[in-house]
Amino acid sequence: MENILILGGGPAGCTSALYTARAGLSPLCLEGEPSRDILPGGQLMTTTEVENFPGYPKGVNGAELMMDLKKQAEQFGARFVYKTATSLDFSKWPFTVESNGITWEAKVVIVATGASARYLGLESEQKFLNRGVSACATCDGALPRFRGHTVVVVGGGDSAMEEALFLARFASRVHVLHRRDQFRASKIMGQRVIEHEKISVEWNTVPDEILGNDKDGVTGVRIRDVNTGEIREIECAGYFSAIGHKPNTDLFVGKLELASDGYLVTKPDSSYTSVDGVFACGDVQDRVYRQAITAAGSGCMAALDATRWLEAQEA
Ligand code: NAP
């Protein structure tokens, strides 16, 4: 039987592995089977340069950072396997988690399955991912590729507004493409975008194709007016998808309390979920901050909560 089973190997999962390993609990982390939809190491694996993780004045490659986090946890006895949980039973204790025929029993489960950025689904989005296509301005916006250049942001919610305002610090011009004639975003955020001298809003507009080549990555976006059908091209160096995130919670429907937008519900100021002994951390329960460092911080919280909970059971 496992003491601690961690689902997800991003910054939240790795940090909870590090802390529970140092507590002598020898955690097992299912970091996911590599596939088109699952990235062991989480979203950081798709980020080239991370410049805002404290402790790296020269920045750090996202994949390197994740490998270091994992190595650090392994040094203290954490174990990692490339497995994805496919079913689980939280209705009785110890909990059971299954991955294609392999079953684990665990005293504690820490859910750190993260969230996935939504993309429109254009083939060109995948083709130019990390070469001008991004879903995280905070992660990538300050890179030389975008500094002093035109960039495009797609979406009309608060995320798109935040991305556009952040990008406007570095880019020469930001075009926000929104499919309607009104933002979904809060009024104040929308107004800031509309009034910003470096930002233009293209209403009733959707991207049809991202343009580019192997050498330069993204060079432009072909856009379509949804009312008139008119097609235009915007020359740009970057395309930021900001049409929302989807928490990776499909597996937990009916097993843990989820909010109406699909995020896992944790009790205030803690990582406790609706099931005693199951904890959650990172982007799967955070629709607001969604940063590597906040995910790592909440991974630490989950590890401390889980360790104390386990001690109380075994006292
Ligand atoms: P969101 O509010 O769901 O907005 C998604 C936007 O993307 C919408 O404008 C939507 O258009 C557009 N969109 C979705 N699918 C699309 C498609 N296929 N093609 C074109 N456009 C598409 O998501 P979010 O902005 O990530 O925000 C999520 C939650 O976090 C919200 O509650 C938000 O308030 C909150 N949040 C808050 C802050 C803050 O307070 N600082 C920052 C970020 C996020 P439609 O409007 O036409 O549906």
Side-chain angles (χ1 to χ4, degrees):
M1 165 140 39
E2 299 294 338
N3 288 315
I4 309 264
L5 192 65
I6 300 165
L7 310 182
C14 280
T15 305
S16 61
L18 170 64
Y19 272 74
T20 50
R22 285 194 78 247
L25 294 169
S26 180
L28 177 67
C29 178
L30 311 192
E31 53 176 330
E33 273 159 63
S35 72
R36 204 186 131 91
D37 300 318
I38 296 175
L39 274 175
Q43 294 179 73
L44 270 189
M45 299 299 279
T46 62
T47 307
T48 40
E49 199 64 9
V50 182
E51 291 176 336
N52 55 7
F53 200 93
Y56 294 92
K58 293 186 182 138
V60 58
N61 176 280
E64 265 173 48
L65 174 58
M66 282 321 305
M67 282 187 281
D68 280 350
L69 277 174
K70 186 174 159 184
K71 218 183 290 169
Q72 194 175 353
E74 280 172 334
Q75 274 173 12
F76 295 100
R79 293 157 299 139
F80 289 80
V81 286
Y82 287 137
K83 293 286 176 206
T84 303
T86 46
S87 68
L88 38 84
D89 187 354
F90 289 162
S91 66
K92 54 183 191 312
W93 194 79
F95 308 118
T96 51
V97 174
E98 196 187 313
S99 170
N100 294 322
I102 307 173
T103 304
W104 294 272
E105 277 193 329
K107 297 177 190 170
V108 164
V109 174
I110 296 178
V111 179
T113 47
S116 309
R118 283 188 217 270
Y119 288 93
L120 290 178
L122 300 172
E123 219 171 273
S124 44
E125 280 176 322
Q126 286 304 316
K127 184 170 171 197
F128 295 116
L129 198 60
N130 288 334
R131 293 191 303 137
V133 171
S134 167
C136 181
T138 321
C139 319
D140 298 332
L143 297 178
R145 173 188 284 281
F146 304 117
R147 276 181 191 265
H149 295 282
T150 299
V151 298
V152 161
V153 175
V154 184
D158 280 323
S159 293
M161 304 302 109
E162 266 192 351
E163 301 272 282
L165 291 165
F166 186 77
L167 286 165
R169 298 184 200 176
F170 312 102
S172 58
R173 176 137 297 276
V174 180
H175 293 269
V176 174
L177 311 186
H178 183 38
R179 62 182 174 183
R180 293 188 292 130
D181 61 0
Q182 223 178 350
F183 283 141
R184 174 178 297 277
S186 53
K187 209 166 178 179
I188 185 163
M189 296 283 281
Q191 210 52 39
R192 273 185 207 151
V193 163
I194 289 168
E195 286 168 5
H196 200 293
E197 55 175 10
K198 280 166 91 181
I199 305 178
S200 327
V201 182
E202 316 290 341
W203 301 106
N204 304 307
T205 299
V206 290
D208 251 1
E209 201 66 77
I210 298 155
L211 310 169
N213 56 54
D214 287 345
K215 183 173 145 275
D216 304 315
V218 171
T219 58
V221 179
R222 192 163 65 225
I223 61 172
R224 179 168 48 86
D225 186 307
V226 292
N227 294 330
T228 64
E230 186 201 348
I231 303 272
R232 284 192 293 134
E233 280 182 18
I234 297 178
E235 221 176 276
C236 65
Y239 168 97
F240 288 80
S241 182
I243 61 170
H245 280 75
K246 183 187 176 304
N248 300 322
T249 50
D250 290 353
L251 192 62
F252 309 108
V253 174
K255 322 250 174 181
L256 294 175
E257 187 186 348
L258 305 181
S260 58
D261 58 3
Y263 283 85
L264 274 188
V265 174
T266 47
K267 305 212 165 121
D269 298 326
S270 83
S271 61
Y272 279 75
T273 68
S274 55
V275 172
D276 223 20
V278 178
F279 301 85
C281 52
D283 286 10
V284 73
Q285 50 85 62
D286 171 17
R287 67 182 61 63
V288 180
Y289 301 106
R290 300 190 301 228
Q291 302 299 300
I293 187 66
T294 50
S298 77
C300 163
M301 287 167 63
L304 296 179
D305 286 344
T307 306
R308 286 169 193 158
W309 185 86
L310 201 52
E311 277 167 8
Q313 307 309 304
E314 293 176 345

